[in-house]
Amino acid sequence: MIFRFNPTKKYTITPSVINILDKELSAERYQFNFNSEYTKTCNSFSAELVRILNPDNGIIDGDSLKKLIFPTGGWDFDVFISHSHNNLVEAKKLAKYLIMKKHRHPFLDNYVWGSADALLKEIDNRYCIHSNGKSYDYDKRNFSTSHVHSMLSMAIFEMIAQCESFIFIDSNESIDYNQLKDDNIKTLSPWLHQELQYARMLSIVSNRPINEQKMFAQGGKLQINYGINLDDFTRLTATSLKSLQSL
């Protein structure tokens, strides 16, 4: 697939700045309802999902599955918020501010897409049970994970490509500051690493297809860190964000 997009404007913001902005909104008594702003497009256990996972020919239609769980078409999102799942509260506050004060339509995956983990469980329960009937088959489980994470990976790329701006929430949850050496920033999240790399790529590359890549879930105490580069991201403060004419 060929994607066409404008160069992505990239920003970072800290939870403390977000909280300052949120307090200002609270003081002004803005009324906001997330359920009215975001409507989840799918139910992970819907009849349509059951139909897709039980095809007559025995082969699951990956395109239909991705479109159902991680849809990217027909949206008007214009800001991609990249955040640790542990910063979901701050991400919601930032989205609220961007909607109410900047009249933007930020993308939050938790409120739009289905759950990759729930999807994997549905697939694994149908296709990855070990012959002993008591556990999952290791190789089959890795194969199903690579498929689902590939779908999610490409959906993330497509959504970032559609957005005009990208905001990364820079926090102790998203960056491994304990391993900070010689200003080399690290993250333990493969997904944040991927989102940041996509944003940087989209700033300099146009009309080029990106190959799908396979990602595997972390388990147990396995930790892998990834170098990230925020040098070309603009740091947002409460004052600078409020004064931006075009985000």
Side-chain angles (χ1 to χ4, degrees):
M1 178 183 293
I2 301 294
F3 299 102
R4 299 182 184 280
F5 44 78
N6 294 319
T8 306
K9 291 177 283 188
K10 307 181 299 301
Y11 304 94
T12 66
I13 194 168
T14 63
S16 60
V17 171
I18 293 172
N19 287 329
I20 290 173
L21 297 170
D22 186 63
K23 286 182 179 179
E24 292 182 8
L25 280 183
S26 299
E28 296 176 23
R29 298 183 180 181
Y30 275 94
Q31 298 298 315
F32 184 84
N33 188 328
F34 255 92
N35 292 330
S36 64
E37 292 290 339
Y38 292 91
T39 302
K40 213 175 187 70
T41 59
C42 62
N43 184 317
S44 295
F45 305 99
S46 67
E48 179 64 10
L49 177 61
V50 173
R51 185 192 68 78
I52 292 175
L53 294 183
N54 293 276
D56 293 336
N57 64 358
I59 301 175
I60 295 173
D61 185 335
D63 292 329
S64 296
L65 185 57
K66 174 177 171 290
K67 184 177 180 180
L68 176 68
I69 306 297
F70 312 120
T72 57
W75 299 106
D76 61 350
F77 294 114
D78 47 23
V79 180
F80 188 99
I81 298 178
S82 176
H83 63 93
S84 163
H85 285 294
N86 292 326
N87 288 129
L88 180 57
V89 170
E90 289 80 14
K92 288 172 60 178
K93 289 178 179 179
L94 177 59
K96 174 182 173 182
Y97 180 85
L98 294 174
I99 292 169
M100 303 301 293
K101 285 293 199 176
K102 291 296 180 179
H103 309 293
R104 308 296 277 184
H105 194 188
F107 172 78
L108 285 177
D109 58 351
N110 296 70
Y111 288 88
V112 179
W113 287 345
S115 166
D117 290 339
L119 174 59
L120 271 171
K121 187 174 183 179
E122 287 290 299
I123 293 174
D124 292 344
N125 286 340
R126 285 174 167 80
Y127 294 97
C128 301
I129 299 297
H130 194 278
S131 58
N132 62 21
K134 298 179 180 180
S135 60
Y136 293 122
D137 182 285
Y138 177 80
D139 292 328
K140 291 180 179 178
R141 181 68 174 78
N142 279 349
F143 190 57
S144 66
T145 299
S146 70
H147 272 287
V148 171
H149 284 186
S150 180
M151 292 179 198
L152 178 55
S153 173
M154 288 309 300
I156 290 171
F157 175 84
E158 292 169 20
M159 190 57 71
I160 293 174
Q162 293 176 34
C163 291
E164 299 173 11
S165 302
F166 179 100
I167 301 180
F168 172 65
I169 298 181
D170 180 350
S171 73
N172 292 329
E173 306 289 349
S174 58
I175 291 179
D176 185 15
Y177 283 105
N178 292 327
Q179 300 296 322
L180 189 63
K181 295 180 180 179
D182 300 324
D183 294 328
N184 291 322
I185 303 174
K186 301 283 187 178
T187 180
L188 292 170
S189 168
W191 296 111
L192 290 179
H193 173 251
Q194 185 179 72
E195 290 170 5
L196 290 164
Q197 287 297 97
Y198 282 164
R200 300 189 76 240
M201 290 164 58
L202 290 170
S203 295
I204 58 176
V205 181
S206 181
N207 299 329
R208 180 182 298 177
I210 301 297
N211 294 326
E212 297 182 0
Q213 67 184 86
K214 297 180 179 179
M215 304 280 297
F216 292 88
Q218 296 184 25
K221 293 185 179 180
L222 174 65
Q223 289 188 318
I224 303 173
N225 65 21
Y226 302 85
I228 58 176
N229 186 340
L230 302 178
D231 289 347
D232 52 346
F233 284 64
T234 301
R235 171 71 77 182
L236 291 173
T237 65
T239 301
S240 66
L241 179 53
K242 285 187 285 188
S243 64
L244 273 180
Q245 297 298 315
S246 176
L247 185 65

